[in-house]
Amino acid sequence: MEADRRVGVAVDFSASSKNALKWAVENVIRKGDHLILVTIRPEGNYEEGEMQLWAVTGSPLIPLSEFSDPVVMKKYGVKPDPETLDIVSTAATQKEVEVLMKIFWGDPREKLCEAIDNIPLSCIILGNRGLGKLKRAIMGSVSNYVVNNGSCPVTVVKHHD
C-alpha cells in the first residue's frame, strides 16, 4: 500500500464494528496512516440545515477533536459511544495516526462502495453481523456486497460472541 494510506473502517457502533475497529488498529494501522471511520445513517428528513447539503456527497471529513464532541455530532445525527472513542483516541496517540470520520446517508452497501472511491480509501475493514443463511438471503449482506463491488481491498472481521 502507498505511503499516505487511508484506512477505512465501517462503524455503526455495534459490537461487530467495534471488533473490526480494534482488529484494524492492532493489525493494519501504522504510524502516519489516516484512520477514517465511515458511518452510514439511514436516509431521513434532510430539512435541517447542513445535512441537506451532504445528502449526496456525505459529510466533510470530521477530525477526532470534533467527533469526540457530542454537541458537534448532534448536528450529524450520530452519537459515537465511549468505547469507540477510546479505541480511536488511543490509536491516535500510540500509533501516531490521524483519525477522521465521514458520514453518509442512505443504503450502507452502496454508500460504503461510494466512500471507497470518493474519500478515496486504500482499503476498508468492516465487521459482519453474523446473520444466518436465511436472514442473509432475505436482508442481504453488507459485507458481501462491499467485498464483491468495492474497488479496494476489503477485509471482513468475523465477530465471535
Side-chain angles (χ1 to χ4, degrees), residues 117-138:
D117 296 329
N118 294 343
I119 292 176
L121 296 175
S122 306
C123 66
I124 190 164
I125 298 150
L126 49 149
N128 73 338
R129 292 184 295 180
L131 295 178
K133 288 181 184 177
L134 181 61
K135 280 188 179 177
R136 187 170 41 249
I138 294 169

Side-chain angles (χ1 to χ4, degrees), residues 44-58:
N45 185 352
Y46 298 127
E47 299 295 321
E48 300 173 20
E50 295 164 338
M51 282 199 307
Q52 191 172 13
L53 298 172
W54 305 320
V56 175
T57 61

Side-chain angles (χ1 to χ4, degrees), residues 1-22:
M1 287 189 193
E2 62 273 12
D4 184 29
R5 297 188 324 157
R6 292 177 174 221
V7 178
V9 180
V11 281
D12 62 4
F13 312 109
S14 66
S16 64
S17 78
K18 286 185 249 187
N19 186 49
L21 179 59
K22 288 176 194 169

Side-chain angles (χ1 to χ4, degrees), residues 20-138:
L21 179 59
K22 288 176 194 169
W23 187 90
V25 168
E26 292 168 6
N27 296 288
V28 179
I29 298 297
R30 60 181 183 231
K31 182 178 178 177
D33 284 348
H34 289 83
L35 173 59
I36 301 175
L37 306 185
V38 180
T39 191
I40 315 297
R41 303 290 304 143
E43 289 188 68
N45 185 352
Y46 298 127
E47 299 295 321
E48 300 173 20
E50 295 164 338
M51 282 199 307
Q52 191 172 13
L53 298 172
W54 305 320
V56 175
T57 61
S59 71
L61 287 169
I62 307 164
L64 176 59
S65 60
E66 289 184 26
F67 77 76
S68 297
D69 183 344
V71 175
V72 172
M73 293 313 291
K74 187 175 182 179
K75 75 178 177 181
Y76 297 106
V78 174
K79 187 177 179 186
D81 70 301
E83 185 181 359
T84 300
L85 292 173
D86 182 55
I87 294 166
V88 295
S89 296
T90 302
T93 53
Q94 290 182 354
K95 298 242 178 178
E96 298 179 41
V97 297
E98 184 175 358
V99 180
L100 302 160
M101 179 179 278
K102 177 94 171 166
I103 304 164
F104 290 90
W105 289 266
D107 182 321
R109 291 173 283 242
E110 295 171 9
K111 293 300 180 178
L112 286 171
C113 289
E114 285 179 28
I116 290 168
D117 296 329
N118 294 343
I119 292 176
L121 296 175
S122 306
C123 66
I124 190 164
I125 298 150
L126 49 149
N128 73 338
R129 292 184 295 180
L131 295 178
K133 288 181 184 177
L134 181 61
K135 280 188 179 177
R136 187 170 41 249
I138 294 169

